[in-house]
Amino acid sequence: MFSMRSLLWFTLLLSPLVLAQPGTGPLRGDHLTVQLVADRTAVAPGETLGVALRVEHDPDWHTYWRNPGDSGLPTKLAWTLPEGASAGPIRWPAPQRLPIGPLVNFGYEGELLLPVAIQLPPQLTVGGQFALALKASWLVCKEECIPGSANFELSLPVVAQSVSDPQWALRIDAAFAAEPPSREWPARFTRAGDVIDISIEGADADFGAQSIEVFPIQTQVLANARGSAVRDADGRLRVSTPISDAFNGLPQTLEFLLVAGEGATRRAYTLVAEAASGAGAASTAPADRSAAGGADPAPLGMLLALVFALLGGIALNLMPCVFPVLSLKAMGLAEGVGDPARSRRHGLLYLAGVLATFVGLASLLLGLRAAGEQLGWGFQLQVPWVVATLALVMLAMGLSLSGLFQIGGAWMGAGQSLASGHDGRSAFFTGVLAVVVASPCTAPLMGPALGYAVTQSPLGAILVFVALGVGLALPIVLISFVPALANRLPRPGAWMEGFKQFMAFPLYLTAVWLLWVLGQQTGVDGIAILLLGAVALAFALWLLGRAGGFARRGLIAAGLVATVVAVVSLQGLAAVDGQAARSAATPWEPWSPERLAELRAEGRPVLVNMTAAWCITCLANERVALSSEAFRTRLAETGIAYLKGDWTQRDERITRYLAQFGRNGVPVYALYPAGGGEPELLPQILTPDGVDAALTRAARP
């Protein structure tokens, strides 16, 4: 689905209105003149060069700010620089409000300089030339809008002592100074109905006597029309602004420009407001996408989110984390061929188990997020004792299928249900277990649906999770209710005992994988404790399958207590940094918002891989497309920086980053192009050819 901004950029790319001849002098386009200017006529190695795109608009025509408002697109600058040089971001001056009918845009009229700082490499050779190229793209509007672009080249001699340009140096310095400076004034915001109130302490005293404007840097939060500002009796400045018509949830922090005065007395400052307690921000959604270089994801809408969730749930049945459990259920259905009533009952109980668990997990997730926790899909596997418990459950199921023991007695009914039983209780608990082990997986289409769900009301979110559960349960339910499908299952016979024992091995492998996940979270000590618990559990289950007696029951109880103690003790272990153990030959470095911003400021292309040790899809993509020699070679050839964020344990920064793309789980692959621009989100299922083509696109200037 294309957003309006995507469509505008698509139109711009196809537009013939391109000034194709490179140059530095003024170039005339439709309703504006553009020029690349620099503050020096000669440069010295290692210094910072100030350059600017000068835009002279025709009367009543305008271009756009970094947040264009209700419509429009910001001007983009894509640089091609010599090796070792880097370009910073555009240093935007404060914009104007540009009302067009019912819409309010943010942009510029008249003459505009958009300055950029370019860091020169220290190894430049005196006597040589420093050459750069720029492709500028813009949208110029009055009542109608016309996209355009121009190519520029600039070559400056390299000297021992740089030479200032008498025409442009002071004007470019003034353009840098026009960027609104940051102020550390304490600011908080709350939401009351459809209005957001921002309370600011320490603002200049004369702000109360001047007109106040707020320009939101984030999109889809504040309305773009002018809000109201008053000064409280205690001296705080309070600005009230309606929420955006496209409101998509409150961020944890709100970044905006505070502009006071008019004309020559106009002053602008950049402020960051924190969500006040009870503001409801934790339930949300997008942080500053422009700061992260992210594109605004087109809203799905409830109907499309439900369709995506249903299809994603169906696809989960093919994921390796779910398949071993589903094979157990399919084996039970094969035993019930010839008894349609029993099959239908089991299908409905399996559906009930799936839906009950999805609703339970969704309610817990939404409740914790509303309480301020930054959590996403698969959050339970970020807790070591949960991972350890699942590993022991898989081990117990495998031992049962291998014939080590047969659980009997009412007190072990739940265990029977989880393992190899074939009564109605087993159908329900197989559904429960299928959902629990499905959480490491994110099937295609699930990511957008889950990201949409956590921005909705509790009822809307639950509906999306229910649709996901219906999709997961649908194949088993269809087999249960459609005799033609059930008849295609193999008939019961002696083969089933061998098949049952064979199915123990996928469960053992799942237990090994969960053990590895635990090792990523707690280190080798955690693995040792869990293995001790596994031995104690296996001993208790072995005793369970042998002759009765009081002593046997005591030993069983002791074994089970030892297992519980081992699992609980995992919580006391300090988490290890899994990234510290990575191979020095691996061409990635840890993700952080600061490192991403640094690389983006340098103009480098960046691949961000958000992953987790418990994410099966992530691990499969790593093996298939992100660890080959061809992938490493392509990174080296293109100069693409590779950042990896590890969500194996809770990391609120990663959760907020995922929300920028409307996602609530991993994997997420964001590929930022060279020279700036919006990132491309790669598919959740990667192929080597697809990754190679995407890296090639991102490396192009």
Side-chain angles (χ1 to χ4, degrees):
M1 177 181 293
F2 285 102
S3 66
M4 181 59 70
R5 290 182 184 173
S6 299
L7 184 60
L8 282 171
W9 276 118
F10 183 69
T11 304
L12 188 151
L13 292 174
L14 296 182
S15 172
L17 305 172
V18 177
L19 309 178
Q21 291 297 325
T24 56
L27 300 176
R28 181 63 185 169
D30 284 270
H31 303 289
L32 51 67
T33 300
V34 290
Q35 182 180 5
L36 178 62
V37 295
D39 64 359
R40 290 166 175 76
T41 57
V43 296
E47 69 177 0
T48 301
L49 171 68
V51 297
L53 181 71
R54 175 180 174 269
V55 184
E56 182 68 35
H57 303 88
D58 286 359
D60 300 322
W61 288 80
H62 61 268
T63 53
Y64 293 93
W65 184 49
R66 59 187 295 189
N67 173 10
D70 288 329
S71 63
L73 292 168
T75 299
K76 301 286 185 180
L77 304 181
W79 299 93
T80 302
L81 302 172
E83 183 178 358
S86 61
I90 297 174
R91 309 280 283 274
W92 300 92
Q96 303 168 283
R97 271 190 167 79
L98 303 169
I100 303 178
L103 303 180
V104 177
N105 295 330
F106 303 146
Y108 310 96
E109 296 177 329
E111 185 183 34
L112 167 71
L113 264 68
L114 295 177
V116 171
I118 295 181
Q119 182 63 47
L120 277 61
Q123 64 269 25
L124 285 179
T125 302
V126 174
Q129 293 285 316
F130 178 78
L132 59 83
L134 166 67
K135 181 176 181 180
S137 304
W138 61 82
L139 188 69
V140 61
C141 299
K142 189 178 178 183
E143 283 81 13
E144 70 274 21
C145 290
I146 303 173
S149 64
N151 296 317
F152 298 95
E153 292 180 355
L154 177 64
S155 183
L156 299 173
V158 180
V159 296
Q161 183 68 39
S162 62
V163 180
S164 179
D165 187 308
Q167 181 181 3
W168 294 109
L170 292 178
R171 297 181 65 180
I172 291 176
D173 286 346
F176 279 112
E179 181 186 27
S182 296
R183 289 290 184 264
E184 299 299 327
W185 297 327
R188 297 287 185 272
F189 70 89
T190 59
R191 178 185 176 184
D194 290 338
V195 175
I196 294 177
D197 288 320
I198 307 173
S199 177
I200 306 167
E201 299 179 28
D204 288 354
D206 60 348
F207 269 24
Q210 296 184 352
S211 62
I212 299 292
E213 292 184 89
V214 168
F215 291 86
I217 293 177
Q218 289 112 315
T219 61
Q220 299 181 339
V221 180
L222 301 181
N224 298 318
R226 184 193 298 263
S228 62
V230 297
R231 183 173 290 281
D232 291 343
D234 58 5
R236 290 188 179 91
L237 182 66
R238 175 168 293 172
V239 180
S240 297
T241 303
I243 64 173
S244 168
D245 291 337
F247 183 74
N248 198 22
L250 289 177
Q252 290 293 326
T253 58
L254 184 62
E255 188 175 3
F256 59 94
L257 298 189
L258 186 67
V259 181
E262 302 286 347
T265 63
R266 193 174 193 239
R267 291 175 296 157
Y269 305 100
T270 301
L271 276 77
V272 176
E274 301 288 339
S277 176
S283 63
T284 69
D288 178 5
R289 292 185 177 94
S290 60
D296 293 337
L300 286 179
M302 178 57 75
L303 179 60
L304 190 58
L306 292 175
V307 172
F308 276 19
L310 180 68
L311 296 176
I314 294 173
L316 269 179
N317 288 279
L318 303 177
M319 297 291 110
C321 48
V322 185
F323 184 74
V325 176
L326 295 187
S327 359
L328 297 179
K329 188 62 208 162
M331 186 171 61
L333 290 174
E335 291 184 348
V337 171
D339 188 351
R342 175 183 179 275
S343 294
R344 289 193 295 270
R345 184 174 69 255
H346 278 221
L348 290 176
L349 287 170
Y350 173 76
L351 174 64
V354 169
L355 294 183
T357 311
F358 262 119
V359 170
L361 282 176
S363 300
L364 181 59
L365 171 62
L366 296 174
L368 291 173
R369 287 176 65 90
E373 299 289 339
Q374 291 292 324
L375 299 173
W377 176 244
F379 70 96
Q380 66 273 23
L381 290 184
Q382 295 173 330
V383 182
W385 71 262
V386 175
V387 176
T389 301
L390 278 176
L392 294 176
V393 168
M394 294 296 166
L395 174 63
M397 291 173 61
L399 293 175
S400 176
L401 294 179
S402 295
L404 180 68
F405 72 100
Q406 292 295 326
I407 303 178
W411 68 281
M412 289 298 288
Q416 165 75 8
S417 301
L418 287 173
S420 55
H422 306 303
D423 56 7
R425 192 166 42 193
S426 76
F428 181 87
F429 279 102
T430 301
V432 172
L433 191 60
V435 176
V436 173
V437 299
S439 56
C441 294
T442 302
L445 303 180
M446 268 183 63
L450 292 175
Y452 175 84
V454 297
T455 67
Q456 303 306 300
S457 65
L459 177 59
I462 293 296
L463 286 176
V464 174
F465 279 93
V466 167
L468 187 61
V470 170
L472 176 62
L474 190 58
I476 295 295
V477 173
L478 285 177
I479 293 174
S480 302
F481 274 79
V482 180
L485 295 176
N487 289 334
R488 292 181 177 271
L489 294 174
R491 295 293 172 180
W495 66 270
M496 295 193 69
E497 182 61 28
F499 180 71
K500 182 180 75 170
Q501 295 178 9
F502 171 78
M503 287 309 302
F505 293 97
L507 296 175
Y508 293 144
L509 290 175
T510 304
V512 170
W513 162 66
L514 289 166
L515 181 66
W516 177 78
V517 172
L518 184 71
Q520 298 295 304
Q521 296 173 329
T522 63
V524 68
D525 290 343
I527 293 176
I529 290 174
L530 180 59
L531 289 176
L532 287 174
V535 171
L537 176 64
F539 179 65
L541 295 177
W542 173 74
L543 289 176
L544 185 65
R546 302 185 67 81
F550 179 80
R552 177 181 70 95
R553 288 193 293 272
L555 289 173
I556 291 171
L560 293 176
V561 168
T563 303
V564 172
V565 170
V567 170
V568 172
S569 66
L570 291 169
Q571 281 299 89
L573 291 177
V576 297
D577 183 2
Q579 292 175 342
R582 65 190 176 97
S583 168
T586 305
W588 60 268
E589 54 182 305
W591 171 89
S592 70
E594 296 78 16
R595 182 55 180 156
L596 176 59
E598 289 175 4
L599 293 167
R600 297 286 287 151
E602 296 172 4
R604 287 187 63 184
V606 184
L607 172 62
V608 174
N609 172 8
M610 288 301 175
T611 184
W614 40 260
C615 170
I616 293 289
T617 308
C618 305
L619 300 179
N621 287 333
E622 292 274 351
R623 300 295 185 271
V624 171
L626 300 179
S627 60
S628 67
E629 184 62 35
F631 173 71
R632 290 192 289 270
T633 300
R634 178 62 72 185
L635 288 180
E637 292 174 347
T638 57
I640 294 177
Y642 183 22
L643 303 183
K644 188 183 292 187
D646 187 356
W647 210 39
T648 301
Q649 300 186 86
R650 269 177 46 197
D651 188 324
E652 294 186 359
R653 298 184 306 168
I654 293 179
T655 307
R656 288 193 292 268
Y657 180 82
L658 297 177
Q660 296 170 15
F661 302 102
R663 299 294 178 85
N664 190 241
V666 290
V668 165
Y669 306 100
L671 184 55
Y672 296 80
E678 307 295 347
E680 175 186 359
L681 280 185
L682 303 187
Q684 289 176 300
I685 305 296
L686 299 180
T687 64
D689 290 343
V691 170
D692 187 76
L695 295 179
T696 301
R697 288 193 301 272
R700 291 173 184 155

